């Protein structure tokens, strides 16, 4: 088993890992429409933001350069630990319109704790030559950021690859030629339905470095326990927002259910602060309430895993049961278990 618990020292305080970074869409809209959670969920004082989007929204950026703080703009405590990625996902179709230096300047200005380097995500639709170019440029951008970084924030190099050898070679090259506090594995969302492939790529990354390992975009209910088993230290997710937009109710240990399919219940099967005193119809009609519940579901999934691990229970027995209802994820977990046992 590669699961591990560590403490990451950040400018805004120590962060116990493994941990979830909920994605905040501040900068993407005229206002951040992610419901408040840092006060109501005590062990979730984290957020993932898009540095490029914040920089490009002129009124907001003007306020930040005039002295306002990003945490004030978000309405969260000053102790909130922020991971600012470069906005690389926006470069899937568009040309890169920033530089490593400019991105670092933005990340420093918003007082982020973790800086993700400028990257160009891969796509299954691209030819191999194009994806190789993107891997090469992302690696070059990471090394440029390493040379330019002189702030207090932790620098995570964004790493891409669609085969284990490329992921391992890239990580080792960056480790030998740059100065990074951790690594963030990207381009996983486009291949997220290929659980076995994702599993092999994550294991390759974990084998290549003992530093903090983040996985972009795969912090939903299905992937969380798999990533934790593979030794991933952190992950981010928009699943709680996207699912709520589709009126999809997340259930820890199971997945999601569209509320339009639920008719004859008065109360939902959850005791989180959102669901414990509200009826089904009220939650179904209020997107913010559903978003809050879904975030609680993600946190509960993580808490459950940590509890099983802390209680010295057999995690593999738990995961055998956890993945027994889905043949695809069960096969991916079996693949992961075989490879993990070879390493431990």
């Amino acid at each position: 088993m590669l699961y591990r618990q560590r403490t990451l020292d950040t400018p805004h305080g120590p962060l116990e890992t493994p941990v979830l970074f909920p994605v905040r869409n501040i900068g993407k809209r005229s206002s951040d429409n992610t419901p408040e959670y840092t006060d109501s969920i005590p062990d979730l004082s984290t957020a993932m933001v898009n540095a490029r989007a914040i920089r490009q929204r002129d009124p907001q950026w003007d306020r930040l350069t005039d002295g306002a703080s990003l945490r004030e703009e978000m309405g969260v405590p000053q102790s909130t630990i922020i991971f600012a990625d470069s906005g690389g996902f926006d470069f899937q179709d568009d040309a890169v319109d920033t530089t490593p230096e400019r991105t670092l300047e933005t990340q420093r200005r918003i007082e982020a704790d973790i800086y993700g380097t400028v990257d160009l995500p891969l796509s299954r639709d691209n030819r191999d030559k194009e994806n190789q170019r993107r891997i090469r440029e992302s690696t070059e951008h990471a090394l440029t950021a390493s040379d330019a970084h002189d702030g207090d924030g932790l620098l995570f190099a964004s790493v891409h690859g669609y085969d284990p050898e490329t992921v391992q070679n890239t990580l080792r090259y960056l480790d030998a030629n740059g100065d990074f506090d951790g690594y963030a594995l990207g381009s996983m969302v486009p291949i997220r339905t290929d659980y076995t492939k994702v599993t092999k790529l994550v294991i390759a990354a974990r084998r290549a470095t003992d530093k903090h390992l983040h996985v972009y975009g795969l912090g939903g209910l299905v992937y969380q326990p798999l990533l934790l088993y593979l030794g991933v230290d952190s992950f981010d997710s928009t699943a709680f927002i996207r699912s709520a937009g589709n009126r999809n109710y997340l259930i820890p240990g199971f997945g999601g259910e569209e509320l339009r399919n639920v008719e004859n219940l008065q109360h939902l099967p959850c005791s989180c602060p959102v669901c414990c005193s509200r009826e089904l119809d009220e939650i179904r009609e209020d997107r913010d309430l559903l978003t809050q519940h879904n975030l609680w579901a993600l946190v509960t999934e993580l808490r459950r895993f940590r509890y099983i691990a802390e209680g010295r229970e057999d995690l593999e027995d738990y995961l055998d049961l956890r993945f027994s209802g889905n043949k695809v994820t069960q096969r991916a977990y079996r693949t992961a278990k075989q490879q993990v046992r070879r390493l431990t």
Side-chain angles (χ1 to χ4, degrees), residues 323-338:
F323 291 117
S324 62
N326 185 310
K327 291 183 179 180
V328 176
T329 54
Q330 186 180 58
R331 186 163 56 248
Y333 169 59
R334 286 174 179 169
T335 299
K337 185 158 58 172
Q338 290 172 356

Side-chain angles (χ1 to χ4, degrees), residues 70-187:
L70 181 66
R71 290 166 179 80
E72 290 172 354
E73 294 279 314
M74 294 167 64
V76 300
Q78 289 300 311
S79 58
T80 301
I81 295 171
I82 293 178
F83 187 145
D85 79 355
S86 69
F89 202 72
D90 297 336
F91 305 140
Q92 280 195 315
D93 300 314
D94 300 331
V96 177
D97 58 5
T98 187
T99 65
E101 294 88 352
R102 178 180 171 89
T103 298
L104 283 173
E105 179 191 354
T106 304
Q107 292 161 329
R108 292 190 195 105
R109 173 69 69 176
I110 64 178
E111 297 183 333
D113 296 271
I114 301 171
Y115 306 166
T117 59
V118 175
D119 57 331
L120 289 77
L122 313 183
S123 170
R124 278 181 160 175
D125 297 330
N126 292 340
R127 294 182 177 181
D128 288 345
K129 185 177 180 180
E130 170 61 15
N131 278 337
Q132 288 301 319
R133 180 189 69 81
R134 286 172 169 261
I135 292 169
R136 185 173 60 255
E137 290 193 15
S138 295
T139 302
E140 291 170 356
H141 288 325
L143 292 175
T144 300
S146 175
D147 291 339
H149 179 48
D150 59 1
D152 294 328
L154 305 179
L155 185 65
F156 284 12
S158 300
V159 176
H160 300 270
Y162 275 167
D163 65 87
E165 185 178 6
T166 297
V167 169
Q168 283 194 332
N169 288 344
T170 302
L171 272 164
R172 288 168 177 160
Y173 180 78
L174 288 168
D175 227 14
N177 294 279
D179 185 9
F180 301 101
D181 301 288
Y183 297 95
L185 186 61
S187 298

